[in-house]
Amino acid sequence: FFFTYKNPRTYPYFFMELIPTLPYDIGLECLIRVPYNNFSSLTSVSRNWKLQIELPEFWRRRKATGSTRQVIL
C-alpha cells in the first residue's frame, strides 16, 4: 500500500518505503543513526531518504535518540 501524490513533499512520512522489506520504523532508525557528515551521500541515494531527512520530525527523533552527539573513543 503506497500513496502517490503530485508533490513529493506532501507524502505522509509514515507511507514512505525507506528500505525495501523493512518496516518503516526500522528503516527510520537506521537513517537516524547515520553520522551527520554522511547526510550529503544519503540524500543522493533515494528520493524518499532525502524527503525523510528534510522533515522536522526526523530531526526531533534524531535528537531524542542522542544521535546528534559526537562520540569520542
Side-chain angles (χ1 to χ4, degrees), residues 3-39:
F3 283 89
T4 304
Y5 293 92
K6 290 183 179 183
N7 182 354
R9 292 191 181 275
T10 61
Y11 283 5
Y13 68 89
F14 49 87
F15 288 119
M16 291 182 189
E17 182 179 55
L18 296 174
I19 301 174
T21 71
L22 286 181
Y24 170 80
D25 288 340
I26 294 173
L28 180 59
E29 290 300 320
C30 292
L31 289 181
I32 284 173
R33 285 168 172 69
V34 172
Y36 180 78
N37 59 348
N38 294 338
F39 275 26

Tab-separated table of all heavy atoms in Angstrom, residues 3-39:
chain	number	residue	atom	x	y	z
A	3	PHE	N	0.983	5.475	-1.289
A	3	PHE	CA	0.297	6.616	-1.879
A	3	PHE	C	1.201	7.348	-2.853
A	3	PHE	O	2.400	7.423	-2.652
A	3	PHE	CB	-0.133	7.602	-0.787
A	3	PHE	CG	-1.339	7.157	-0.047
A	3	PHE	CD1	-1.211	6.357	1.066
A	3	PHE	CD2	-2.595	7.526	-0.465
A	3	PHE	CE1	-2.319	5.940	1.754
A	3	PHE	CE2	-3.709	7.124	0.223
A	3	PHE	CZ	-3.573	6.320	1.337
A	4	THR	N	0.627	7.892	-3.874
A	4	THR	CA	1.364	8.734	-4.805
A	4	THR	C	0.670	10.085	-4.866
A	4	THR	O	-0.528	10.163	-5.070
A	4	THR	CB	1.386	8.109	-6.211
A	4	THR	OG1	1.940	6.803	-6.109
A	4	THR	CG2	2.210	8.928	-7.159
A	5	TYR	N	1.432	11.124	-4.685
A	5	TYR	CA	0.928	12.483	-4.763
A	5	TYR	C	1.703	13.224	-5.835
A	5	TYR	O	2.814	12.852	-6.163
A	5	TYR	CB	1.126	13.217	-3.429
A	5	TYR	CG	0.298	12.654	-2.313
A	5	TYR	CD1	0.803	11.675	-1.473
A	5	TYR	CD2	-0.992	13.097	-2.097
A	5	TYR	CE1	0.050	11.162	-0.442
A	5	TYR	CE2	-1.748	12.586	-1.060
A	5	TYR	CZ	-1.225	11.620	-0.246
A	5	TYR	OH	-1.977	11.122	0.769
A	6	LYS	N	1.126	14.279	-6.370
A	6	LYS	CA	1.826	15.071	-7.378
A	6	LYS	C	3.040	15.775	-6.779
A	6	LYS	O	4.059	15.890	-7.414
A	6	LYS	CB	0.879	16.091	-8.008
A	6	LYS	CG	-0.170	15.439	-8.881
A	6	LYS	CD	-1.038	16.452	-9.556
A	6	LYS	CE	-2.059	15.740	-10.432
A	6	LYS	NZ	-2.886	16.635	-11.178
A	7	ASN	N	2.925	16.252	-5.574
A	7	ASN	CA	4.029	16.934	-4.910
A	7	ASN	C	4.657	15.979	-3.894
A	7	ASN	O	4.040	15.655	-2.889
A	7	ASN	CB	3.531	18.191	-4.201
A	7	ASN	CG	4.644	18.961	-3.536
A	7	ASN	OD1	5.781	18.520	-3.495
A	7	ASN	ND2	4.306	20.108	-3.001
A	8	PRO	N	5.901	15.534	-4.127
A	8	PRO	CA	6.504	14.559	-3.223
A	8	PRO	C	6.714	15.088	-1.811
A	8	PRO	O	6.826	14.322	-0.878
A	8	PRO	CB	7.846	14.236	-3.883
A	8	PRO	CG	8.101	15.325	-4.839
A	8	PRO	CD	6.770	15.892	-5.231
A	9	ARG	N	6.753	16.387	-1.619
A	9	ARG	CA	6.927	16.930	-0.268
A	9	ARG	C	5.683	16.744	0.590
A	9	ARG	O	5.727	16.943	1.793
A	9	ARG	CB	7.299	18.404	-0.330
A	9	ARG	CG	8.664	18.617	-0.908
A	9	ARG	CD	9.096	20.056	-0.707
A	9	ARG	NE	10.395	20.263	-1.272
A	9	ARG	CZ	11.545	20.012	-0.661
A	9	ARG	NH1	11.539	19.533	0.553
A	9	ARG	NH2	12.689	20.221	-1.250
A	10	THR	N	4.562	16.363	-0.025
A	10	THR	CA	3.341	16.160	0.749
A	10	THR	C	3.138	14.696	1.114
A	10	THR	O	2.117	14.359	1.689
A	10	THR	CB	2.105	16.666	-0.038
A	10	THR	OG1	1.992	15.928	-1.244
A	10	THR	CG2	2.207	18.144	-0.318
A	11	TYR	N	4.108	13.813	0.803
A	11	TYR	CA	3.980	12.411	1.217
A	11	TYR	C	3.876	12.347	2.731
A	11	TYR	O	4.696	12.915	3.416
A	11	TYR	CB	5.228	11.609	0.841
A	11	TYR	CG	5.396	11.204	-0.577
A	11	TYR	CD1	4.537	11.597	-1.574
A	11	TYR	CD2	6.471	10.405	-0.932
A	11	TYR	CE1	4.733	11.225	-2.880
A	11	TYR	CE2	6.674	10.018	-2.241
A	11	TYR	CZ	5.809	10.427	-3.207
A	11	TYR	OH	6.004	10.041	-4.488
A	12	PRO	N	2.901	11.658	3.227
A	12	PRO	CA	2.924	11.422	4.669
A	12	PRO	C	4.139	10.551	4.984
A	12	PRO	O	4.368	9.558	4.322
A	12	PRO	CB	1.624	10.666	4.931
A	12	PRO	CG	0.793	10.840	3.710
A	12	PRO	CD	1.732	11.117	2.582
A	13	TYR	N	4.932	10.942	5.972
A	13	TYR	CA	6.183	10.229	6.221
A	13	TYR	C	5.956	8.768	6.573
A	13	TYR	O	6.796	7.932	6.330
A	13	TYR	CB	7.024	10.916	7.294
A	13	TYR	CG	6.459	10.886	8.674
A	13	TYR	CD1	6.743	9.836	9.529
A	13	TYR	CD2	5.655	11.909	9.140
A	13	TYR	CE1	6.237	9.798	10.802
A	13	TYR	CE2	5.150	11.874	10.410
A	13	TYR	CZ	5.441	10.819	11.235
A	13	TYR	OH	4.933	10.795	12.492
A	14	PHE	N	4.786	8.420	7.107
A	14	PHE	CA	4.558	7.043	7.501
A	14	PHE	C	4.250	6.125	6.312
A	14	PHE	O	4.146	4.931	6.486
A	14	PHE	CB	3.449	6.946	8.551
A	14	PHE	CG	2.201	7.692	8.188
A	14	PHE	CD1	1.218	7.115	7.426
A	14	PHE	CD2	2.024	9.000	8.618
A	14	PHE	CE1	0.067	7.808	7.100
A	14	PHE	CE2	0.875	9.698	8.305
A	14	PHE	CZ	-0.106	9.105	7.534
A	15	PHE	N	4.138	6.659	5.100
A	15	PHE	CA	3.915	5.818	3.930
A	15	PHE	C	5.171	5.632	3.085
A	15	PHE	O	5.152	4.926	2.103
A	15	PHE	CB	2.803	6.386	3.044
A	15	PHE	CG	1.437	6.220	3.650
A	15	PHE	CD1	0.670	7.318	3.952
A	15	PHE	CD2	0.932	4.967	3.919
A	15	PHE	CE1	-0.587	7.175	4.506
A	15	PHE	CE2	-0.312	4.806	4.483
A	15	PHE	CZ	-1.074	5.916	4.772
A	16	MET	N	6.254	6.285	3.451
A	16	MET	CA	7.475	6.159	2.671
A	16	MET	C	8.107	4.797	2.893
A	16	MET	O	8.230	4.339	4.018
A	16	MET	CB	8.491	7.225	3.091
A	16	MET	CG	8.109	8.606	2.726
A	16	MET	SD	9.456	9.688	3.239
A	16	MET	CE	8.693	11.246	2.978
A	17	GLU	N	8.532	4.176	1.817
A	17	GLU	CA	9.298	2.944	1.949
A	17	GLU	C	10.764	3.364	1.965
A	17	GLU	O	11.326	3.753	0.945
A	17	GLU	CB	9.015	2.001	0.790
A	17	GLU	CG	9.758	0.694	0.925
A	17	GLU	CD	9.461	-0.248	-0.220
A	17	GLU	OE1	9.650	0.151	-1.373
A	17	GLU	OE2	9.063	-1.376	0.058
A	18	LEU	N	11.376	3.317	3.123
A	18	LEU	CA	12.742	3.794	3.251
A	18	LEU	C	13.746	2.732	2.816
A	18	LEU	O	14.661	3.007	2.049
A	18	LEU	CB	13.016	4.217	4.694
A	18	LEU	CG	12.186	5.395	5.180
A	18	LEU	CD1	12.426	5.653	6.659
A	18	LEU	CD2	12.500	6.641	4.364
A	19	ILE	N	13.594	1.524	3.337
A	19	ILE	CA	14.467	0.407	2.967
A	19	ILE	C	13.562	-0.764	2.617
A	19	ILE	O	12.802	-1.236	3.471
A	19	ILE	CB	15.416	0.048	4.129
A	19	ILE	CG1	16.276	1.253	4.496
A	19	ILE	CG2	16.283	-1.151	3.749
A	19	ILE	CD1	17.139	1.075	5.713
A	20	PRO	N	13.603	-1.229	1.367
A	20	PRO	CA	12.706	-2.316	0.952
A	20	PRO	C	12.802	-3.521	1.890
A	20	PRO	O	13.880	-3.880	2.348
A	20	PRO	CB	13.204	-2.669	-0.447
A	20	PRO	CG	13.849	-1.420	-0.937
A	20	PRO	CD	14.472	-0.791	0.287
A	21	THR	N	11.664	-4.104	2.160
A	21	THR	CA	11.442	-5.285	3.006
A	21	THR	C	11.550	-5.009	4.507
A	21	THR	O	11.304	-5.900	5.294
A	21	THR	CB	12.366	-6.479	2.646
A	21	THR	OG1	13.696	-6.198	3.039
A	21	THR	CG2	12.282	-6.816	1.165
A	22	LEU	N	11.925	-3.789	4.909
A	22	LEU	CA	11.961	-3.453	6.336
A	22	LEU	C	10.764	-2.580	6.693
A	22	LEU	O	10.369	-1.722	5.909
A	22	LEU	CB	13.227	-2.675	6.692
A	22	LEU	CG	14.532	-3.438	6.744
A	22	LEU	CD1	15.667	-2.503	7.135
A	22	LEU	CD2	14.464	-4.602	7.706
A	23	PRO	N	10.210	-2.778	7.877
A	23	PRO	CA	9.141	-1.876	8.317
A	23	PRO	C	9.667	-0.442	8.384
A	23	PRO	O	10.864	-0.210	8.595
A	23	PRO	CB	8.795	-2.392	9.720
A	23	PRO	CG	9.300	-3.786	9.757
A	23	PRO	CD	10.477	-3.836	8.840
A	24	TYR	N	8.778	0.498	8.216
A	24	TYR	CA	9.148	1.911	8.201
A	24	TYR	C	9.954	2.302	9.438
A	24	TYR	O	10.975	2.966	9.324
A	24	TYR	CB	7.891	2.786	8.093
A	24	TYR	CG	8.188	4.241	8.317
A	24	TYR	CD1	8.724	5.008	7.291
A	24	TYR	CD2	7.977	4.835	9.554
A	24	TYR	CE1	9.031	6.344	7.492
A	24	TYR	CE2	8.283	6.161	9.763
A	24	TYR	CZ	8.808	6.911	8.734
A	24	TYR	OH	9.129	8.212	8.936
A	25	ASP	N	9.498	1.891	10.617
A	25	ASP	CA	10.167	2.304	11.860
A	25	ASP	C	11.611	1.828	11.926
A	25	ASP	O	12.485	2.553	12.398
A	25	ASP	CB	9.404	1.792	13.081
A	25	ASP	CG	8.097	2.520	13.299
A	25	ASP	OD1	7.960	3.643	12.770
A	25	ASP	OD2	7.221	1.978	13.981
A	26	ILE	N	11.877	0.638	11.466
A	26	ILE	CA	13.251	0.115	11.491
A	26	ILE	C	14.115	0.862	10.475
A	26	ILE	O	15.255	1.220	10.770
A	26	ILE	CB	13.261	-1.404	11.247
A	26	ILE	CG1	12.576	-2.104	12.411
A	26	ILE	CG2	14.696	-1.916	11.064
A	26	ILE	CD1	12.360	-3.574	12.234
A	27	GLY	N	13.571	1.116	9.293
A	27	GLY	CA	14.297	1.903	8.297
A	27	GLY	C	14.623	3.297	8.811
A	27	GLY	O	15.728	3.804	8.614
A	28	LEU	N	13.674	3.894	9.499
A	28	LEU	CA	13.887	5.225	10.069
A	28	LEU	C	14.984	5.191	11.127
A	28	LEU	O	15.851	6.060	11.157
A	28	LEU	CB	12.590	5.765	10.669
A	28	LEU	CG	12.669	7.150	11.297
A	28	LEU	CD1	13.121	8.194	10.275
A	28	LEU	CD2	11.330	7.524	11.903
A	29	GLU	N	14.968	4.173	11.977
A	29	GLU	CA	16.006	4.054	13.000
A	29	GLU	C	17.387	3.913	12.358
A	29	GLU	O	18.368	4.444	12.873
A	29	GLU	CB	15.724	2.868	13.928
A	29	GLU	CG	14.539	3.078	14.832
A	29	GLU	CD	14.690	4.270	15.757
A	29	GLU	OE1	15.793	4.488	16.291
A	29	GLU	OE2	13.701	4.996	15.947
A	30	CYS	N	17.478	3.219	11.253
A	30	CYS	CA	18.750	3.090	10.537
A	30	CYS	C	19.223	4.459	10.042
A	30	CYS	O	20.391	4.822	10.208
A	30	CYS	CB	18.617	2.130	9.360
A	30	CYS	SG	18.343	0.418	9.845
A	31	LEU	N	18.321	5.223	9.430
A	31	LEU	CA	18.688	6.551	8.927
A	31	LEU	C	19.064	7.505	10.055
A	31	LEU	O	19.986	8.307	9.914
A	31	LEU	CB	17.536	7.156	8.116
A	31	LEU	CG	17.246	6.530	6.764
A	31	LEU	CD1	16.097	7.267	6.088
A	31	LEU	CD2	18.466	6.521	5.885
A	32	ILE	N	18.370	7.416	11.166
A	32	ILE	CA	18.630	8.299	12.294
A	32	ILE	C	20.056	8.127	12.811
A	32	ILE	O	20.696	9.082	13.221
A	32	ILE	CB	17.601	8.048	13.420
A	32	ILE	CG1	16.264	8.690	13.031
A	32	ILE	CG2	18.078	8.564	14.763
A	32	ILE	CD1	15.132	8.365	13.965
A	33	ARG	N	20.570	6.916	12.742
A	33	ARG	CA	21.883	6.618	13.315
A	33	ARG	C	23.061	6.866	12.360
A	33	ARG	O	24.207	6.695	12.754
A	33	ARG	CB	21.894	5.192	13.824
A	33	ARG	CG	21.110	5.088	15.113
A	33	ARG	CD	20.829	3.678	15.532
A	33	ARG	NE	20.254	3.602	16.849
A	33	ARG	CZ	19.054	4.011	17.200
A	33	ARG	NH1	18.275	4.565	16.318
A	33	ARG	NH2	18.605	3.891	18.428
A	34	VAL	N	22.784	7.291	11.155
A	34	VAL	CA	23.864	7.617	10.220
A	34	VAL	C	24.527	8.909	10.675
A	34	VAL	O	23.837	9.883	10.995
A	34	VAL	CB	23.314	7.763	8.782
A	34	VAL	CG1	24.378	8.286	7.833
A	34	VAL	CG2	22.763	6.432	8.295
A	35	PRO	N	25.864	8.954	10.716
A	35	PRO	CA	26.550	10.187	11.121
A	35	PRO	C	26.198	11.362	10.197
A	35	PRO	O	26.027	11.188	8.987
A	35	PRO	CB	28.033	9.844	11.000
A	35	PRO	CG	28.093	8.358	11.059
A	35	PRO	CD	26.801	7.866	10.458
A	36	TYR	N	26.099	12.528	10.790
A	36	TYR	CA	25.696	13.730	10.056
A	36	TYR	C	26.592	14.009	8.846
A	36	TYR	O	26.102	14.425	7.801
A	36	TYR	CB	25.702	14.946	10.993
A	36	TYR	CG	25.291	16.214	10.302
A	36	TYR	CD1	23.950	16.464	10.041
A	36	TYR	CD2	26.238	17.140	9.881
A	36	TYR	CE1	23.557	17.628	9.394
A	36	TYR	CE2	25.859	18.299	9.231
A	36	TYR	CZ	24.518	18.533	8.991
A	36	TYR	OH	24.147	19.677	8.331
A	37	ASN	N	27.884	13.751	8.963
A	37	ASN	CA	28.791	14.048	7.839
A	37	ASN	C	28.545	13.150	6.628
A	37	ASN	O	29.080	13.404	5.561
A	37	ASN	CB	30.259	13.985	8.277
A	37	ASN	CG	30.641	12.642	8.839
A	37	ASN	OD1	29.790	11.814	9.119
A	37	ASN	ND2	31.916	12.433	9.037
A	38	ASN	N	27.696	12.142	6.742
A	38	ASN	CA	27.333	11.289	5.604
A	38	ASN	C	25.987	11.663	4.982
A	38	ASN	O	25.531	11.010	4.047
A	38	ASN	CB	27.299	9.824	6.024
A	38	ASN	CG	28.648	9.297	6.398
A	38	ASN	OD1	29.681	9.839	5.993
A	38	ASN	ND2	28.677	8.237	7.179
A	39	PHE	N	25.322	12.686	5.501
A	39	PHE	CA	23.993	13.040	5.019
A	39	PHE	C	23.978	13.481	3.563
A	39	PHE	O	23.008	13.244	2.857
A	39	PHE	CB	23.358	14.111	5.897
A	39	PHE	CG	22.659	13.538	7.101
A	39	PHE	CD1	23.036	12.334	7.640
A	39	PHE	CD2	21.620	14.210	7.682
A	39	PHE	CE1	22.396	11.802	8.740
A	39	PHE	CE2	20.964	13.707	8.785
A	39	PHE	CZ	21.357	12.499	9.313
